[in-house]
């Protein structure tokens, strides 16, 4: 269902449907994508880094990162193109987290599971030692 919303980029009122931004901002983003795509498709620019692409095209890194995450730019074709980890900001080529952050998250989840299991066993142990009388 469509609803009225303010564009997060420019603040203009628009009917939010398929896109989360207004038509004028969408058109600007499409122009930026085309600029980036034309630049990196040239053979000499395929090994460009994120900083080099941003400088040459004047497209913000945040926008190029979104193009990558949306699957519009495939990193397999561009060996030096990386984007920041969502947690620590280190450059990565796939996913949302770097290996180190994924490992820390996994350890935290395993610790949480162990703590929950310990608490469950403790409750069960207490319940097993409780005696009830008929009166």
């Amino acid at each position: 269902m469509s609803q009225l919303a303010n564009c997060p980029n420019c603040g203009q009122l628009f009917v939010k449907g398929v896109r989360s931004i207004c038509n004028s901002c969408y058109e600007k983003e499409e122009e930026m994508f085309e600029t980036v795509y034309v630049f990196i498709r040239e053979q000499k620019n395929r090994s460009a880094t994120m900083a080099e692409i941003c400088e040459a095209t004047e497209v913000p890194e945040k926008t190029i990162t979104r193009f990558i995450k949306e699957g519009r730019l495939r990193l397999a074709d561009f060996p030096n193109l990386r984007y920041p980890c969502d947690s620590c900001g280190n450059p990565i080529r796939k996913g949302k987290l770097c290996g180190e952050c994924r490992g820390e998250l996994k350890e935290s989840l395993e610790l949480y599971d162990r703590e929950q299991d310990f608490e469950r066993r403790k409750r069960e142990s207490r319940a097993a030692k409780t005696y009830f009388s008929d009166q």
Side-chain angles (χ1 to χ4, degrees), residues 60-78:
E61 181 177 338
K62 180 179 167 185
T63 305
I64 297 172
T65 300
R66 192 171 63 253
F67 294 153
I68 294 168
K69 288 182 178 181
E70 290 172 351
R72 297 179 74 184
L73 296 175
R74 293 180 346 154
L75 294 184
D77 298 333
F78 313 106

Side-chain angles (χ1 to χ4, degrees), residues 45-49 74-82 93:
N45 298 328
R46 289 195 180 188
S47 62
T49 63
R74 293 180 346 154
L75 294 184
D77 298 333
F78 313 106
N80 294 329
L81 191 56
R82 290 168 169 50
R93 290 192 47 82

